[in-house]
Amino acid sequence: MTTKPRADKYNWRRKRRSAGNAETREDAISRIRQATQAPGAENEPPVGTEIDAIKREGLTGRQLRVARRLAQKNGLAATSDYDAVRLLRKKGIDPFERSSLLNLASEKKTSDEQTNDRITIHLPQTVKDAPENLPGPEMSPAERREREIGQIQRDIARRRRRKLFALFARLAAFVLLPTFVVGLYFYRIATPMYASNSAFLILQADGGAGSIGGLLAGTQFATTQDSVATQEFLESKDALELLDTEAGFADVFKQDWIDPIQRLSPDASLEEAYKLYKRMITVGYDPTDGLIRMEVATPDPQTSAAFSRELISYAEQRVNALTEKKREDQMKDAREGFVSAQEERKKAQEDLIELQLQGAILDPESVIAGLRGRINEIETLIQDKELQLAALLDNRRPNKAKVDGAQADIARLTVVLEELNAEMLDVSAGENSLARLSVRIQMAQADLAARDMILQSAMQHMETTRTEANRQVRYLTVSVNPVPSQEPSYPRKFENTILAFLLFAGIYLMISLTASVLREQVSS
């Protein structure tokens, strides 16, 4: 009972659509005929515009199949069903007229009769590109643009996914996998190392007041060079040889239970042992407080503490030997100078005594001064006697006895004066004269005085040098003694793994940037 109303409703809709299609079809046919009959046929509209107009007519699938069959019958090469309608109308054939349909049906009946009454059902066939040419809903330019944009976005997203997958693959191969291997080594394979820490400083003896050494004594500036020299010694092969000879450093790291990276081979050379020594022994100097901090790591905590004590003893010996030679040289020079001054002073004194003994006179200057005094005295007496004689002779009748006595006194004094002058001449003239002997004695006395001053200066210099040498003595004082550790200090598993990750990531980043720059340069 419900089938008939539905069928009537369907027929009514179909008639209405056919009427609309007929009106639209008539309009399209008239437009095509006008275009073909117009004198300016070369200015006919584009094919795409005609096909769009045909699509807007709302043709059914059956009508499109009929149009395609008519186009095949008339030998028209149609690319699609809508193109078949366009070509038929351009040729002046309306594929939807009843006459065309009757002709098509008669031709079908004739072909059926020619096949000896054999019934053959000819189903409508589509062209090769039927999926692209099937009629579909018409899209506006905005919808078409949105569809193309969506397709582009999907392509971009697909390329991004591909690039991200390749990026994650490279990161996994060059960063994550090496980091995993390094972490596996630190967490599962690496042998734990026990570190013992110690700290010591180098002190200087107190200097004298007022000296530069006294001002800087007890500060870090007074022993900076010694501290740096001690640090270099502890990090040198010399300390390694001493530690290996006396404590067996290499034998400790040649044991089989140590991991291969930290283990020394049985025939390891000094260079290989020194590389391991620099990794296991860490020495640092802090110039702000003058402390030298040392860390020794070994597979056994007791061994690390023993190695620390041995190295501290080596450092103390080296500190004592740093200034010992300098102090010995300074004291040697001061002693030699003092002994030489003593010998020179003794020689000068002996020369003076020899000169004094040579002339049998201890003081030639006093002898010469005495002679000069006696000569002056005789000359004074002679002048007095001559004055007395002149006074006697001034009388008209002088006393002869007195005159003769005065003249005799003058004669005797003159003889004495001549003798004194002759003695003075003998004393002051000649190679062995008292004057020359006096000069030599004066020079010897001056030399002796100079040697006394030199001896006193040498003595003072020796005392100063002794004080300076005592001030240059260095003392190594241990502020933190090494104590065996109860827990391993190395390896630092998490820190080393993170460091390895950052290192591999940095190397990968540098290589990627370099490759991208080179690729851009080559492409440009």
Side-chain angles (χ1 to χ4, degrees):
M1 295 176 65
T2 58
T3 304
K4 185 175 181 181
R6 289 182 180 177
D8 295 340
K9 185 177 182 180
Y10 174 77
N11 293 331
W12 176 78
R13 289 181 179 178
R14 186 175 180 182
K15 290 179 181 179
R16 185 176 181 181
R17 188 184 301 116
S18 300
N21 292 340
E23 293 176 359
T24 307
R25 188 165 53 249
E26 294 296 334
D27 296 337
I29 291 172
S30 63
R31 286 197 305 271
I32 293 173
R33 287 179 178 177
Q34 290 177 3
T36 54
Q37 294 176 2
E42 64 276 6
N43 297 328
E44 59 186 5
V47 177
T49 305
E50 296 180 2
I51 292 176
D52 292 339
I54 295 172
K55 290 179 179 180
R56 285 193 295 271
E57 293 180 5
L59 300 177
T60 61
R62 180 176 178 279
Q63 292 175 339
L64 292 174
R65 289 193 295 271
V66 170
R68 184 173 62 254
R69 293 178 63 186
L70 286 176
Q72 291 176 358
K73 175 186 174 184
N74 290 277
L76 300 177
T79 58
S80 63
D81 295 343
Y82 294 104
D83 191 32
V85 175
R86 183 185 68 81
L87 293 176
L88 289 172
R89 289 178 178 176
K90 188 174 182 180
K91 194 175 180 180
I93 301 173
D94 186 5
F96 308 117
E97 290 182 354
R98 296 182 61 85
S99 59
S100 300
L101 295 176
L102 291 174
N103 293 334
L104 183 61
S106 62
E107 289 179 1
K108 180 178 179 182
K109 183 177 181 181
T110 303
S111 61
D112 292 341
E113 291 176 355
Q114 291 177 357
T115 55
N116 297 322
D117 297 334
R118 186 178 57 186
I119 299 175
T120 304
I121 301 175
H122 294 280
L123 296 176
Q125 301 295 324
T126 59
V127 294
K128 295 181 180 180
D129 51 351
E132 297 180 359
N133 296 328
L134 290 177
E138 181 66 19
M139 292 186 297
S140 63
E143 294 176 349
R144 188 180 297 107
R145 183 171 60 254
E146 290 178 358
R147 180 180 180 183
E148 294 175 354
I149 292 174
Q151 185 176 1
I152 293 172
Q153 290 177 348
R154 287 191 296 272
D155 293 339
I156 293 174
R158 185 167 56 255
R159 286 195 298 269
R160 286 181 178 176
R161 287 193 298 270
R162 191 184 306 114
K163 290 182 178 180
L164 285 176
F165 178 77
L167 175 61
F168 285 124
R170 290 193 298 269
L171 288 176
F174 297 105
V175 178
L176 299 180
L177 182 60
T179 304
F180 174 76
V181 173
V182 172
L184 180 64
Y185 166 76
F186 285 128
Y187 278 92
R188 296 295 182 184
I189 303 175
T191 303
M193 295 292 171
Y194 297 85
S196 61
N197 297 308
S198 59
F200 54 90
L201 68 159
I202 300 174
L203 299 178
Q204 182 182 11
D206 295 337
S211 63
I212 297 178
L215 294 176
L216 296 179
T219 64
Q220 70 273 19
F221 302 104
T223 58
T224 299
Q225 295 180 351
D226 300 326
S227 300
V228 174
T230 304
Q231 178 186 3
E232 294 295 330
F233 164 72
L234 291 175
E235 294 177 346
S236 64
K237 293 181 181 179
D238 191 5
L240 170 62
E241 291 179 348
L242 291 174
L243 186 63
D244 190 18
T245 303
E246 299 182 6
F249 174 81
D251 296 335
V252 172
F253 289 92
K254 289 181 181 179
Q255 302 180 56
D256 297 336
W257 54 273
I258 300 177
D259 65 271
I261 296 179
Q262 301 182 94
R263 183 175 65 238
L264 285 175
S265 59
D267 55 346
S269 62
L270 179 62
E271 298 298 331
E272 296 176 355
Y274 182 60
K275 291 180 181 179
L276 181 63
Y277 175 82
K278 288 194 298 184
R279 286 194 289 125
M280 297 302 170
I281 310 297
T282 304
V283 182
Y285 170 64
D286 189 357
T288 57
D289 51 12
L291 275 176
I292 299 177
R293 295 179 174 86
M294 182 174 62
E295 183 183 73
V296 180
T298 60
D300 181 63
Q302 302 296 333
T303 305
S304 64
F307 282 176
S308 297
R309 286 189 289 269
E310 291 291 334
L311 290 174
I312 290 174
S313 64
Y314 300 155
E316 187 174 4
Q317 296 174 5
R318 183 54 58 94
V319 166
N320 294 333
L322 286 176
T323 57
E324 182 178 0
K325 185 177 181 181
K326 181 179 179 181
R327 289 185 282 114
E328 290 180 355
D329 293 341
Q330 290 178 349
M331 291 301 300
K332 181 180 179 182
D333 295 339
R335 291 193 193 98
E336 290 178 355
F338 179 71
V339 172
S340 176
Q342 282 183 333
E343 292 178 355
E344 293 295 334
R345 194 247 180 210
K346 182 178 180 181
K347 183 179 179 181
Q349 191 174 10
E350 291 177 353
D351 292 340
L352 177 61
I353 295 173
E354 184 68 23
L355 289 174
Q356 290 176 350
L357 295 176
Q358 183 178 357
I361 298 175
L362 296 177
D363 193 0
E365 292 182 356
S366 61
V367 174
I368 294 174
L371 288 175
R372 287 177 180 175
R374 291 172 61 189
I375 290 172
N376 292 332
E377 185 179 357
I378 296 298
E379 289 178 350
T380 302
L381 291 174
I382 290 174
Q383 289 178 358
D384 291 339
K385 293 298 182 180
E386 287 178 350
L387 290 175
Q388 291 178 5
L389 180 61
L392 291 175
L393 293 177
D394 287 341
N395 296 324
R396 293 181 179 182
R397 301 175 73 176
N399 189 350
K400 185 178 180 180
K402 292 181 177 182
V403 171
D404 293 338
Q407 291 178 349
D409 291 336
I410 291 173
R412 286 191 297 271
L413 291 174
T414 302
V415 173
V416 174
L417 180 61
E418 289 177 357
E419 292 177 355
L420 291 175
N421 287 331
E423 187 178 358
M424 177 62 71
L425 182 62
D426 292 339
V427 170
S428 60
E431 294 181 357
N432 296 325
S433 63
L434 289 178
R436 186 176 296 276
L437 183 61
S438 176
V439 172
R440 293 175 63 185
I441 290 175
Q442 288 179 0
M443 293 177 63
Q445 289 176 348
D447 189 14
L448 180 60
R451 294 301 174 184
D452 288 337
M453 293 179 62
I454 293 175
L455 179 61
Q456 185 178 2
S457 177
M459 186 180 298
Q460 185 178 0
H461 176 65
M462 188 176 65
E463 294 297 329
T464 304
T465 304
R466 183 182 293 108
T467 304
E468 183 69 17
N470 292 331
R471 188 185 63 82
Q472 290 178 356
V473 176
R474 301 292 189 267
Y475 302 97
L476 189 146
T477 302
V478 180
S479 58
V480 178
N481 291 311
V483 178
S485 178
Q486 296 182 356
E487 295 182 358
S489 303
Y490 299 98
R492 297 173 179 173
K493 305 174 182 178
F494 180 75
E495 293 84 349
N496 292 340
T497 304
I498 294 298
L499 181 61
F501 173 76
L502 296 177
L503 179 63
F504 290 130
I507 294 174
Y508 173 77
L509 180 61
M510 291 177 60
I511 295 175
S512 300
L513 291 177
T514 304
S516 62
V517 171
L518 293 177
R519 191 184 303 110
E520 182 178 358
Q521 293 294 331
V522 170
S523 62
S524 61

